[in-house]
Amino acid sequence: MPIEKFAPISRAACIGGGVIGGGWVARFLLAGIDVRLFDPHPDAERIVAEVLANAERAYGLLTSAPLPRRGRLSFCASVAEAVEGAQWVQESVPERLDLKRRVLAEIDAAAPAEALIGSSTSGLKPTDLQEGLTHPGRLFVAHPYNPVYLLPLVEIVGGAQTVPATVERAKAVLDAIGMKGVVIAREIEAFVGDRLLEALWREALWLIKDDICDVETLDDVIRYSFGLRWAQMGLFQTYRIAGGEAGMRHFLAQFGPCLQWPWTKLTDVVDLDDTLVEKIGAQSDAQAAGLSIRELERIRDENLVGIVQALKAGQSGEGWGAGKLLKEFEQRLWAQAGHTAPPVDMKAPLELVETRVSPAWIDYNGHMTEHRYLQVFGDATDALLRRIGVDLAYVEGGHSYYTVETHLRHLDEAKLGEGLVCTTQILATDEKRLHVFHRLHAGPERREIATGEHMLLHVDTSAGRATPAAAQVLSALDAIAAAHAGLERPAAAGRAIGHKARLATPA
Amino acid sequence: MPIEKFAPISRAACIGGGVIGGGWVARFLLAGIDVRLFDPHPDAERIVAEVLANAERAYGLLTSAPLPRRGRLSFCASVAEAVEGAQWVQESVPERLDLKRRVLAEIDAAAPAEALIGSSTSGLKPTDLQEGLTHPGRLFVAHPYNPVYLLPLVEIVGGAQTVPATVERAKAVLDAIGMKGVVIAREIEAFVGDRLLEALWREALWLIKDDICDVETLDDVIRYSFGLRWAQMGLFQTYRIAGGEAGMRHFLAQFGPCLQWPWTKLTDVVDLDDTLVEKIGAQSDAQAAGLSIRELERIRDENLVGIVQALKAGQSGEGWGAGKLLKEFEQRLWAQAGHTAPPVDMKAPLELVETRVSPAWIDYNGHMTEHRYLQVFGDATDALLRRIGVDLAYVEGGHSYYTVETHLRHLDEAKLGEGLVCTTQILATDEKRLHVFHRLHAGPERREIATGEHMLLHVDTSAGRATPAAAQVLSALDAIAAAHAGLERPAAAGRAIGHKARLATPA
């Protein structure tokens, strides 16, 4: 990867640790970046710990790629202490210009000269934030969306004094940790996303105030229609399709007159008085139907994870939008893991996959669905293959291992959210064949819940026939096979169906 | 199901068959409803056929539930001919009040007295549409969203003369076919969804006109942030969470002052002149990067399918939003299929599952991923169990069959979009055990691509131990087993890994 496109950092400072600041902390830590945090609020440690717990849960569901070792988090007693040695400083203090200016001046005075300084402001113009700084060229707006640890977008907005290279570097740092840095060409208050949200929000308040609908109906209108569209294509791409073969210009020509219609009430600003606040509050309580904020957060995060994973399978497997972003991030992680894989004890079965039972894996009986066991075993086989040099480049070179036969035994059940570890033993190899035995362990007590025995053949993928593997692959394989030769052969290996087995997972 | 909640119909009329009208045609046909269509446009047959092809492709990816036999489509020469015998008439002609009134008067004069009449108008008030009708009480707005065959929302809006029972019946008909009928309490022009869209659209036009960003940047801002949120929770539920434990009222109190800020340009209406149209057109071409409208439609539909399926797994497996809706629809289809399952030739292996290779099933090698084979075999086992009476009620009663052992052989590959049929042979049974053999066939030539041999045990699910199945289950099972006794035993049954096998699917 060219350094210009991805610029990983190893140390960040976060000033302010509320919902947004805490989200930044989680993003950085899970990307392997050490974070030094300053937040004088008495509840700061608790809030950050809660956000971080949510983020770790969500990442466990989001990806099975090898995330780097989590960064270290330090709570600091001052701005100056927090920004020491930081490559990126993120300011997320309350939305008041005077306060932000004071905090940014402190950051500017104490941070290393080359540190980037991003502000989480959702509306203030960077030019206004730069006033009075000694080194204003490195300050920019980096406006994220809640939950920061899952939503990829960061609007990057430079002010009058921001150096162009700052914007480029900021984008490269964000892109390196799997976020989507989007550069806004010209600064205006509230930038792009909040402008759009604000417009829609005002109209929504009128609809509620005038009793056209209640908040649940309004939310349903969004999430059963254009909300689904916008998770994958935005406004203009969607309308391009709506215009059909006649194209975008034709669509706009049709749409034009509507702008003169008296549809929206936007020329007036609704008065958000006590009556309206109480009305919305009561309707929102009814909509939540007893679910707490914590429960709603969990539901939201699981949904977002599922949506991003669905988009990862989009555009015929290449990924689309936020899913493509995840896929590319995972590919970089896999590539890095290939270069820095920690040494393992080769004399024991290899621990190649560690994962967690995702909600999407649970069937109508409340148990982990049958084929998800095979998914985990498949992931373990993939990890073994990468370890012996059968990586994407090898596959693109026209060779791969294909599974020809599988034998699964279900011994016990796995529960939602439970941690899983898969161990892999090589039973036999020759120049074309690879015979492996996986065991799946659940929970802290590592009870064995399933085994998978697999025969793989090395193939020339274009010719579609078996062929000997490359010398370096065979040599890597032989090294593991030799180390495993001393292991006891699993009693179940080579068994056919009909042997007695303990019972387990639902059909 | 109480008849008030779901009111299935068997015959609908569609007046107008463009993108929206054609979407309605597809929705009705795929729900098993016969459709009579009138559209004088010379391209109507082609357009409807294209929309229907998209819809069938999307449904094939969306659900493996037993959809009813597709309804019959007839092209009619007049409104009067189309509405004959219709229980629901959907008007989707161009958005001009005079034209709609003329067409609705024709419909009203010719349709059966008890027929519901819905208008697809995206902005006209139902009261205005009712003027001059003889039976205005049955007219209402039924405003869908593109693509109509995938997005569930229909805004139901009654006018001054609409009878309340009409609105209730309309909702029950839509709910029965898996859509989400949302009743808007008071009519206004553009209802709720288009009001919100219009507000955001106007602001978007300003952002483009003023060069704050281009259309691709604006779309990215949406789809990497709040678009993902809104696919699963709307505006108010999202802000409820943002407010944290302090709640919605606290959030609103904070938000209030922003409404006075000069953020939006909405007090002016942008002039969508030729210059702006050309600017957006050119930016939209660049964003599409050569993808045609047909390609964009396919990508959009695959993404929507994936998102809805992801939401089906949400809220810990219960489903959420559009995914919960799909789940409930599928459960009704399964329940109906249980009661009306067609007789099958019991002397042959049972054909219990017919599906298609979904894009989400394709791995980095371009082949169907290993565990998806087991997913199809699992679906076939589930279908067999339902057939012998092991349905949701039986499982909720505390008994089920669990798979204890599986043996898979991969013989050939499956391609994206290819049709799959799974056949199931019962090898042996006793009061606790069920030994089955599945074969998976691909393509019109039905080449055998994989086999799955499975041993299942009947269990008491709370005690977690094997127990004899209920008498009626055993009797249903024995009937099939007896019929299958004459079938040849598969040569691969009872094999252990190590036997020679032809090669196939990627690891």
Side-chain angles (χ1 to χ4, degrees):
Chain A
M1 297 307 157
I3 186 71
E4 308 85 41
K5 200 167 172 203
F6 301 109
I9 58 169
S10 59
R11 185 150 165 181
C14 288
I15 310 302
V19 171
I20 295 297
W24 277 108
V25 168
R27 267 281 182 192
F28 286 132
L29 290 177
L30 292 174
I33 298 166
D34 293 336
V35 176
R36 296 168 68 82
L37 169 68
F38 171 68
D39 188 330
H41 193 288
D43 290 339
E45 287 210 28
R46 179 184 59 79
I47 292 171
V48 168
E50 284 174 1
V51 176
L52 191 53
N54 276 356
E56 293 210 298
R57 184 173 186 289
Y59 266 52
L61 300 172
L62 182 67
T63 178
S64 57
L67 290 172
R69 184 186 304 272
R70 179 175 142 179
R72 273 168 311 169
L73 173 61
S74 326
F75 291 88
C76 300
S78 68
V79 167
E81 192 187 325
V83 304
E84 190 196 318
Q87 296 160 285
W88 178 297
V89 183
Q90 185 68 26
E91 168 275 308
S92 311
V93 304
E95 199 74 0
R96 297 198 328 259
L97 183 58
D98 59 332
L99 174 64
K100 287 207 183 260
R101 278 188 179 155
R102 205 170 63 233
V103 169
L104 288 169
E106 269 193 83
I107 293 170
D108 189 37
E114 68 283 5
L116 294 167
I117 305 177
S119 169
S120 297
T121 179
S122 54
L124 301 171
K125 284 159 73 172
T127 295
D128 295 335
L129 296 174
Q130 284 170 325
E131 208 176 286
L133 295 192
T134 311
H135 308 289
R138 56 177 169 165
L139 180 95
F140 54 94
V141 165
H143 176 231
Y145 286 74
N146 188 40
V148 180
Y149 50 83
L150 275 181
L151 294 185
L153 184 71
V154 180
E155 288 178 281
I156 304 175
V157 195
Q161 299 184 70
T162 307
V163 175
T166 295
V167 169
E168 278 171 51
R169 280 176 60 209
K171 181 166 162 48
V173 169
L174 294 170
D175 289 356
I177 61 173
M179 298 187 86
K180 174 82 179 176
V182 166
V183 179
I184 307 303
R186 284 180 50 202
E187 69 173 337
I188 48 171
E189 280 161 315
F191 329 122
V192 172
D194 278 343
R195 286 264 170 163
L196 299 174
L197 284 170
E198 176 79 4
L200 192 133
W201 173 241
R202 291 189 189 206
E203 187 68 20
L205 291 180
W206 276 120
L207 293 167
I208 301 302
K209 182 178 168 66
D210 292 351
D211 291 316
I212 308 303
C213 63
D214 60 15
V215 302
E216 182 166 0
T217 300
L218 191 139
D219 277 5
D220 281 349
V221 165
I222 292 176
R223 72 199 183 116
Y224 288 99
S225 67
F226 59 82
L228 294 166
R229 291 200 298 227
W230 286 351
Q232 45 93 45
M233 291 182 188
L235 190 62
F236 287 97
Q237 188 95 281
T238 297
Y239 285 159
R240 182 184 183 88
I241 297 179
E245 296 300 344
M248 193 70 186
R249 291 162 185 84
H250 171 73
F251 174 79
L252 290 172
Q254 284 189 306
F255 212 113
C258 300
L259 293 175
Q260 308 305 328
W261 295 359
W263 276 3
T264 53
K265 273 205 164 178
L266 293 157
T267 44
D268 289 330
V269 175
V270 72
D271 184 11
L272 192 54
D273 59 13
D274 288 352
T275 313
L276 185 51
V277 167
E278 181 48 36
K279 181 175 185 173
I280 294 173
Q283 291 182 1
S284 175
D285 289 348
Q287 179 185 26
L291 292 169
S292 71
I293 299 298
R294 284 282 162 269
E295 287 167 314
L296 287 170
E297 280 178 345
R298 177 188 56 73
I299 293 167
R300 175 199 63 190
D301 286 3
E302 287 175 10
N303 288 339
L304 291 174
V305 163
I307 291 167
V308 173
Q309 285 178 335
L311 293 176
K312 191 180 138 193
Q315 174 57 327
S316 299
E318 291 294 300
W320 184 263
K324 188 162 191 232
L325 194 68
L326 173 64
K327 192 183 176 93
E328 289 164 353
F329 180 55
E330 289 179 329
Q331 281 170 343
R332 293 202 304 279
L333 290 174
W334 283 118
Q336 286 160 17
H339 295 136
T340 62
V344 294
D345 175 8
M346 299 254 279
K347 299 247 189 233
L350 308 176
E351 289 190 12
L352 296 170
V353 167
E354 202 179 324
T355 184
R356 200 163 284 281
V357 181
S358 147
W361 294 7
I362 298 298
D363 67 10
Y364 55 82
N365 274 331
H367 302 140
M368 180 163 152
T369 311
E370 223 177 311
H371 70 271
R372 298 299 184 176
Y373 289 84
L374 185 53
Q375 182 176 345
V376 178
F377 289 139
D379 288 346
T381 301
D382 281 351
L384 173 66
L385 292 178
R386 274 191 306 275
R387 179 167 288 270
I388 59 171
V390 182
D391 53 14
L392 283 180
Y394 190 85
V395 170
E396 278 161 13
H399 293 88
S400 190
Y401 276 94
Y402 285 4
T403 302
V404 289
E405 214 171 343
T406 289
H407 182 230
L408 304 177
R409 290 155 63 243
H410 295 283
L411 310 174
D412 198 354
E413 287 165 21
K415 289 186 270 298
L416 176 64
E418 214 171 15
L420 300 176
V421 173
C422 183
T423 60
T424 299
Q425 177 175 353
I426 294 186
L427 296 181
T429 66
D430 64 19
E431 59 178 9
K432 292 183 187 169
R433 290 192 298 181
L434 170 54
H435 191 179
V436 299
F437 194 88
H438 301 300
R439 293 173 194 272
L440 191 61
H441 309 270
E445 76 282 19
R446 291 188 146 228
R447 61 185 197 287
E448 188 171 311
I449 61 168
T451 66
E453 181 187 355
H454 308 268
M455 181 65 79
L456 291 93
L457 274 186
H458 185 270
V459 295
D460 176 328
T461 50
S462 52
R465 60 179 164 68
T467 179
Q472 76 277 11
V473 168
L474 290 175
S475 125
L477 198 51
D478 287 346
I480 306 175
H484 283 193
L487 292 175
E488 191 181 354
R489 186 179 168 87
R495 266 204 205 154
I497 288 183
H499 281 70
K500 193 163 171 51
R502 279 185 292 144
L503 73 91
T505 209
Chain B
M1 296 308 158
I3 186 70
E4 309 84 41
K5 199 164 174 205
F6 301 108
I9 58 168
S10 58
R11 187 151 165 180
C14 288
I15 310 302
V19 171
I20 295 297
W24 276 108
V25 168
R27 268 282 180 192
F28 285 133
L29 290 177
L30 292 174
I33 297 165
D34 294 334
V35 177
R36 296 169 69 83
L37 169 67
F38 171 68
D39 189 331
H41 194 289
D43 290 339
E45 286 209 28
R46 179 183 60 80
I47 293 171
V48 168
E50 283 174 2
V51 176
L52 191 53
N54 276 356
E56 293 211 300
R57 186 172 183 291
Y59 267 52
L61 300 171
L62 182 67
T63 177
S64 56
L67 290 172
R69 184 186 302 273
R70 179 176 141 180
R72 272 168 311 168
L73 173 61
S74 326
F75 291 88
C76 300
S78 68
V79 167
E81 193 186 323
V83 303
E84 191 197 318
Q87 296 161 284
W88 178 298
V89 183
Q90 185 68 26
E91 169 275 308
S92 310
V93 304
E95 200 74 359
R96 298 199 326 261
L97 183 58
D98 59 333
L99 174 64
K100 288 208 184 259
R101 277 187 179 157
R102 207 170 61 232
V103 169
L104 288 169
E106 267 193 82
I107 294 170
D108 190 37
E114 68 282 7
L116 294 166
I117 304 176
S119 170
S120 297
T121 180
S122 54
L124 302 171
K125 285 160 73 171
T127 294
D128 294 335
L129 295 174
Q130 283 170 327
E131 208 177 287
L133 296 191
T134 311
H135 308 291
R138 55 175 170 167
L139 180 95
F140 54 95
V141 165
H143 176 231
Y145 286 75
N146 187 40
V148 180
Y149 50 84
L150 275 180
L151 295 185
L153 183 71
V154 180
E155 288 177 282
I156 303 175
V157 194
Q161 299 186 70
T162 307
V163 175
T166 295
V167 168
E168 279 171 51
R169 280 175 60 209
K171 182 165 163 43
V173 169
L174 293 169
D175 289 356
I177 62 174
M179 297 186 87
K180 175 80 178 178
V182 166
V183 179
I184 306 303
R186 283 180 50 203
E187 69 174 335
I188 48 170
E189 280 160 316
F191 329 123
V192 172
D194 278 343
R195 286 267 170 162
L196 299 173
L197 284 170
E198 177 79 5
L200 192 132
W201 172 242
R202 290 188 189 206
E203 188 68 20
L205 290 180
W206 276 121
L207 293 167
I208 301 302
K209 183 179 170 64
D210 292 349
D211 291 315
I212 308 303
C213 62
D214 60 14
V215 302
E216 182 166 359
T217 300
L218 191 139
D219 276 4
D220 281 350
V221 165
I222 293 176
R223 72 198 183 117
Y224 289 98
S225 68
F226 59 82
L228 293 167
R229 290 199 300 228
W230 287 351
Q232 46 93 46
M233 291 181 187
L235 189 63
F236 287 96
Q237 188 94 281
T238 297
Y239 285 158
R240 182 184 184 88
I241 296 179
E245 297 298 345
M248 193 69 188
R249 291 162 185 83
H250 171 74
F251 173 79
L252 290 172
Q254 283 191 306
F255 212 115
C258 300
L259 292 175
Q260 308 304 329
W261 296 359
W263 275 3
T264 52
K265 272 206 163 178
L266 293 159
T267 45
D268 288 330
V269 174
V270 73
D271 183 11
L272 191 55
D273 58 12
D274 288 353
T275 312
L276 185 51
V277 166
E278 181 47 37
K279 182 175 185 173
I280 295 173
Q283 291 182 0
S284 174
D285 289 349
Q287 178 184 26
L291 291 170
S292 71
I293 299 298
R294 284 280 162 273
E295 287 168 314
L296 287 170
E297 280 178 345
R298 176 187 57 72
I299 293 167
R300 175 199 62 191
D301 287 1
E302 286 175 12
N303 288 340
L304 291 174
V305 163
I307 291 166
V308 172
Q309 286 178 335
L311 293 176
K312 190 180 138 191
Q315 173 57 327
S316 298
E318 291 293 300
W320 184 263
K324 186 157 191 235
L325 195 67
L326 172 64
K327 193 184 176 94
E328 290 165 352
F329 180 55
E330 289 180 330
Q331 281 171 341
R332 293 202 305 278
L333 289 175
W334 283 117
Q336 286 160 16
H339 295 138
T340 62
V344 293
D345 175 8
M346 299 254 279
K347 299 251 186 224
L350 308 176
E351 290 191 12
L352 296 170
V353 167
E354 202 178 325
T355 185
R356 200 163 285 280
V357 181
S358 148
W361 293 8
I362 299 298
D363 68 10
Y364 55 80
N365 275 329
H367 302 142
M368 180 164 153
T369 310
E370 224 176 309
H371 70 269
R372 298 299 183 175
Y373 289 84
L374 185 53
Q375 181 176 345
V376 177
F377 290 140
D379 288 345
T381 301
D382 282 349
L384 172 67
L385 293 178
R386 275 192 306 274
R387 179 167 289 270
I388 59 172
V390 181
D391 52 15
L392 285 179
Y394 190 85
V395 171
E396 279 161 12
H399 292 88
S400 189
Y401 276 94
Y402 285 4
T403 302
V404 288
E405 212 171 347
T406 290
H407 181 231
L408 303 177
R409 290 155 63 240
H410 295 284
L411 310 174
D412 197 354
E413 287 163 20
K415 289 186 271 296
L416 176 63
E418 216 172 12
L420 301 176
V421 173
C422 183
T423 59
T424 299
Q425 177 176 352
I426 294 186
L427 296 181
T429 66
D430 63 19
E431 60 178 11
K432 291 183 187 169
R433 289 192 299 180
L434 168 56
H435 190 180
V436 297
F437 194 88
H438 301 299
R439 294 173 193 272
L440 191 60
H441 308 270
E445 75 282 18
R446 294 188 142 224
R447 62 185 197 286
E448 189 170 310
I449 61 169
T451 66
E453 182 186 353
H454 307 268
M455 181 65 79
L456 292 93
L457 274 185
H458 185 269
V459 295
D460 176 328
T461 51
S462 52
R465 58 177 165 71
T467 179
Q472 76 278 11
V473 167
L474 290 175
S475 124
L477 198 51
D478 287 346
I480 305 174
H484 283 193
L487 293 174
E488 192 181 353
R489 185 178 168 89
R495 268 204 204 155
I497 288 183
H499 279 72
K500 193 162 171 51
R502 280 183 292 144
L503 71 91
T505 210

